[in-house]
Amino acid sequence: VNNTFGERRPYLVIRDFEAERHIQNRPADDEDQEPQRSRVKGSWKKDFHVSPFNSRKGSYSLLASDPLGPEMEGFRGIDITINLSSSKGHPKLVARLFSEGDALEPDSMSLFQKTKFVLGWFWVGFVTFPRIVKEAAVLFFKRGLHVWYRPEPLRESMGRLADNIEKQLEDAFRQYLRHLVQQSPSPITVRYIPSGVVGAAEYIFSSSSVTGSSTTAESVEIKVLTPVFYSRFVHYAHDFEAVFSELAESSTLWVDKPELLPKIFLKKASPPLHASTPFDFLCFQLIKSLRSRPEKIERPLTSADQVSSSSQGLDIRDFRMSSMDAFVIGQGNTTLKKSYRAAVLRLFFADRIAFGNTDLLGMMELGARVGASWVLASLINQAIRRFS
């Protein structure tokens, strides 16, 4: 199941083969009657946000016919019915997907038939999203339905794809996590599962004390549920606070054994580091000045609820810079240092002047460049006229 936010949730429905054998072995009443098709039937709890007009509660039930038959004799058509029920068991929505007519074989189609097919269906993809927006506007303004704000995905779901800034921060966070695990004095193994990075696999990090030690290493799994975790993590000045806040409050992170996190993120304060160049010093001092703790992800359930006003206290703790900043500065990897400081500064500037939207910040940059180019061109034109 996909939603419009780019998130996905896979469901696996198991076929009841014993019931299918019973159906197939049942004699038909009429010799000319087509044998009854096998059906796949299942139901499961709803735990994925799909529509803004429905909560994440409820359940699905599915009834599908086998499109290939018992011996895969050939295509018999698609017939799938999905029912959505509320948390109280009341039916809310029925959707059916079925095929009409004979199946088309692309290999046997002529060029004219292929062209006719493409011209008859290519427009569907372009009008799908505008139609969704139109119907949503009707439901909200005309029908007065409440809007359920999108919650962060659960562990079983797949988060959206990361944007460019989140990809850069994920790379830095992965290297930083590997460094923390390797420096841990306790024998521990971490299984890290990133989010939103195409082609990224699971990573296994082990502390240096695991090698050559007879003590059994403890294992912990850290799974990032949404790429927004990476952009939120750099807002914190303290790792321990960041991990537990994102785990317990904002739910952007999942850990199977939270009690082992202090062995990774709780450490002594690192000595002050000096930037290798004056430019690095200025950039990371600016990052330190702009850094502020992110607000907890807490939205009202529906548009009818009121947002609770939460006051955020002033952080009076003394710190030079975040541990992740210090790690990046201490690395000899120039590419990592450049991408990290550019991503963090862009993110923090967007928080200050673009409502936290980096795309809007990019549009503002484009407008500033166009304006500066126009002013420069005007000055050059005036200078040419004076000397001509």
Side-chain angles (χ1 to χ4, degrees):
V1 179
N2 299 342
N3 61 16
T4 55
F5 305 100
E7 300 167 343
R8 292 167 290 170
R9 172 65 164 97
Y11 295 102
L12 178 62
V13 182
I14 306 299
R15 295 177 60 174
D16 190 352
F17 290 98
E18 292 296 332
E20 291 183 12
R21 292 192 187 97
H22 178 71
I23 293 175
Q24 295 299 328
N25 295 332
R26 184 186 305 171
D29 297 335
D30 188 358
E31 295 181 357
D32 297 333
Q33 183 179 358
E34 183 180 354
Q36 189 172 2
R37 297 170 61 182
S38 302
R39 291 182 177 270
V40 180
K41 186 177 182 180
S43 60
W44 60 90
K45 290 286 186 181
K46 181 185 178 184
D47 57 2
F48 183 64
H49 181 76
V50 178
S51 170
F53 300 104
N54 289 285
S55 67
R56 199 160 55 178
K57 299 179 180 179
S59 61
Y60 289 110
S61 63
L62 177 139
L63 181 63
S65 299
D66 186 0
L68 300 178
E71 302 296 335
M72 301 186 69
E73 301 168 350
F75 183 70
R76 298 188 175 188
I78 297 175
D79 191 356
I80 303 174
T81 303
I82 300 179
N83 293 272
L84 172 62
S85 301
S86 65
S87 56
K88 298 181 180 179
H90 303 304
K92 299 184 67 176
L93 179 67
V94 178
R96 187 186 178 201
L97 175 66
F98 61 94
S99 57
E100 292 182 342
D102 298 331
L104 299 177
E105 292 287 345
D107 295 336
S108 61
M109 295 174 63
S110 63
L111 179 61
F112 175 77
Q113 291 174 328
K114 292 179 181 179
T115 305
K116 181 180 178 181
F117 177 81
V118 172
L119 293 178
W121 287 96
F122 82 96
W123 57 272
V124 175
F126 294 99
V127 300
T128 298
F129 185 74
R131 183 183 178 187
I132 292 176
V133 174
K134 171 184 172 296
E135 296 299 331
V138 171
L139 292 176
F140 181 73
F141 293 105
K142 188 175 181 180
R143 303 296 181 182
L145 295 184
H146 294 163
V147 173
W148 293 81
Y149 294 98
R150 182 188 66 85
E152 296 302 327
L154 299 177
R155 177 196 172 194
E156 294 79 9
S157 303
M158 303 171 64
R160 60 170 175 81
L161 294 179
D163 57 26
N164 293 330
I165 290 181
E166 291 166 343
K167 290 178 183 178
Q168 296 172 358
L169 295 179
E170 190 280 329
D171 181 36
F173 175 79
R174 178 173 13 97
Q175 298 187 41
Y176 179 55
L177 179 61
R178 181 192 295 114
H179 168 75
L180 292 179
V181 175
Q182 292 176 349
Q183 297 298 320
S184 176
S186 304
I188 190 171
T189 300
V190 174
R191 181 188 179 196
Y192 165 63
I193 304 176
S195 175
V197 181
V198 178
E202 301 175 358
Y203 298 90
I204 305 297
F205 305 139
S206 299
S207 61
S208 56
S209 56
V210 173
T211 307
S213 175
S214 59
T215 307
T216 303
E218 297 178 290
S219 61
V220 58
E221 179 179 332
I222 299 178
K223 181 178 181 180
V224 179
L225 301 180
T226 171
V228 76
F229 166 81
Y230 305 114
S231 59
R232 291 178 60 84
F233 184 85
V234 296
H235 281 79
Y236 293 91
H238 308 277
D239 298 343
F240 196 67
E241 176 189 11
V243 171
F244 274 93
S245 296
E246 295 304 306
L247 174 65
E249 295 181 353
S250 300
S251 301
T252 62
L253 186 71
W254 180 86
V255 181
D256 62 341
K257 299 176 183 177
E259 65 274 8
L260 298 181
L261 290 178
K263 297 183 178 181
I264 304 173
F265 294 97
L266 191 60
K267 55 191 180 302
K268 295 182 180 179
S270 57
L273 296 178
H274 300 283
S276 57
T277 63
F279 183 73
D280 284 343
F281 175 79
L282 293 176
C283 287
F284 281 94
Q285 283 296 321
L286 184 59
I287 289 175
K288 172 190 169 184
S289 302
L290 295 176
R291 174 174 280 118
S292 61
R293 189 183 190 277
E295 296 183 0
K296 180 174 63 173
I297 299 179
E298 184 181 18
R299 300 188 178 100
L301 292 179
T302 70
S303 55
D305 297 330
Q306 298 294 330
V307 181
S308 59
S309 59
S310 58
S311 59
Q312 186 172 345
L314 178 64
D315 193 348
I316 61 174
R317 292 169 292 186
D318 184 22
F319 57 88
R320 295 181 176 88
M321 63 177 62
S322 72
S323 299
M324 191 167 175
D325 292 348
F327 166 76
V328 173
I329 291 179
Q331 298 299 304
N333 191 339
T334 307
T335 303
L336 173 65
K337 192 183 304 182
K338 181 179 179 180
S339 63
Y340 176 80
R341 73 188 180 207
V344 175
L345 284 174
R346 189 173 186 83
L347 198 63
F348 288 178
F349 277 128
D351 291 340
R352 296 300 179 99
I353 63 176
F355 308 101
N357 192 324
T358 54
D359 293 333
L360 179 59
L361 180 64
M363 295 177 62
M364 296 171 64
E365 289 178 349
L366 178 61
R369 291 180 180 180
V370 171
S373 300
W374 181 81
V375 171
L376 182 60
S378 300
L379 294 176
I380 294 175
N381 189 23
Q382 292 178 4
I384 294 175
R385 289 180 178 179
R386 289 178 182 177
F387 290 100
S388 61

